[in-house]
Amino acid sequence: MRSLQRATSVARARGRTHPSPQDLLIALIEDEDAAPVMQACGIDLERLRRDVEAAGASEPTTGLGHLLQRAFNEAQLSERTVVTGADMLIELFADPAGRFLSAQGARRYDALVYLSHGIAKGAAPDIEADHSEALRLEVVLLNDPYTPSEFVTFVLEDVFGMGRERAIAIVFATHARKRGSCGIFPRAEAAALREKVQNLAAARQHPLRCVLLPVPDTADHDRPLPN
């Protein structure tokens, strides 16, 4: 891909044969997939370039093999056949070169939320239920390619009190239909459940998103049993 070619050019300009994570980070500044993610995380790209270039000359470098392998593995787990610059950016957060990103307040979590749901750091998502007066709300999980199914199962069991069989069924439904219903609850209870899910996800650095959808008062729905 072009970013790897650019990273190789950056390395050669510095007298190295093989590119390092720092070289890749500079290359990703011009990557069509990675650059928008960095900007959504609040990264000043020109400052990032200056910081990396200023530090690069005096720092030990490592190869990209381990980083590219992790990006490839993550893509496979998400059932994607192409590794993009955004995938490599995600892996850079865990590399020592990721400190240039964290120096500007960016987190891997911020990048994952933007990639999964298009929500930039600091932006308040538009919540449909907040614009309605429905007394009952449906709690819905949104599918994303980064949150492990094991964590979603844990959330359903821990937050909603579901049995393992029901939780796994909802996980599969969420993956297949891009969203999965956790049940219908009174407005205040639904809001509390959503907050607990989002807090757990953020604490574990997963981009799992939980939304509330208004339910017409005339709808014939009952609150689901935990099991």
Side-chain angles (χ1 to χ4, degrees), residues 70-84 87 143-149 171-172 174-178:
R70 290 202 308 267
F72 179 77
N73 291 343
E74 287 296 324
Q76 278 195 318
L77 289 174
S78 302
E79 300 179 357
R80 291 178 289 118
T81 58
V82 177
V83 175
T84 69
D87 294 316
N143 185 60
D144 71 75
Y146 298 99
T147 302
S149 59
V171 169
F172 279 114
T174 303
H175 180 71
R177 303 170 189 168
K178 307 306 178 186

Side-chain angles (χ1 to χ4, degrees), residues 26-160:
I26 290 177
L28 291 179
I29 291 173
E30 299 177 24
D31 185 274
E32 62 181 6
D33 296 306
V37 179
M38 287 190 277
Q39 291 174 315
C41 293
I43 293 291
D44 180 329
L45 298 183
E46 288 309 310
R47 173 188 163 185
L48 178 63
R49 186 190 300 274
R50 291 194 303 270
D51 290 348
V52 178
E53 289 178 345
S58 60
E59 293 194 356
T61 60
T62 58
L64 293 178
H66 65 293
L67 189 148
L68 296 177
Q69 186 61 56
R70 290 202 308 267
F72 179 77
N73 291 343
E74 287 296 324
Q76 278 195 318
L77 289 174
S78 302
E79 300 179 357
R80 291 178 289 118
T81 58
V82 177
V83 175
T84 69
D87 294 316
M88 292 188 286
L89 174 67
I90 293 298
E91 299 307 322
L92 275 169
F93 276 95
D95 188 271
R99 71 186 183 283
F100 296 106
L101 302 170
S102 60
Q104 294 196 44
R107 300 177 299 166
R108 182 176 184 270
Y109 175 72
D110 301 322
L112 290 176
V113 169
Y114 179 75
L115 283 170
S116 300
H117 308 295
I119 302 173
K121 180 182 178 182
D126 185 41
I127 301 172
E128 184 177 346
D130 290 347
H131 304 296
S132 78
E133 297 180 356
L135 298 178
R136 294 183 300 167
L137 301 173
E138 183 179 15
V139 182
V140 177
L141 296 180
L142 301 184
N143 185 60
D144 71 75
Y146 298 99
T147 302
S149 59
E150 293 83 0
F151 176 74
V152 182
T153 302
F154 162 74
V155 165
L156 293 169
E157 292 177 330
D158 183 73
V159 177
F160 296 93

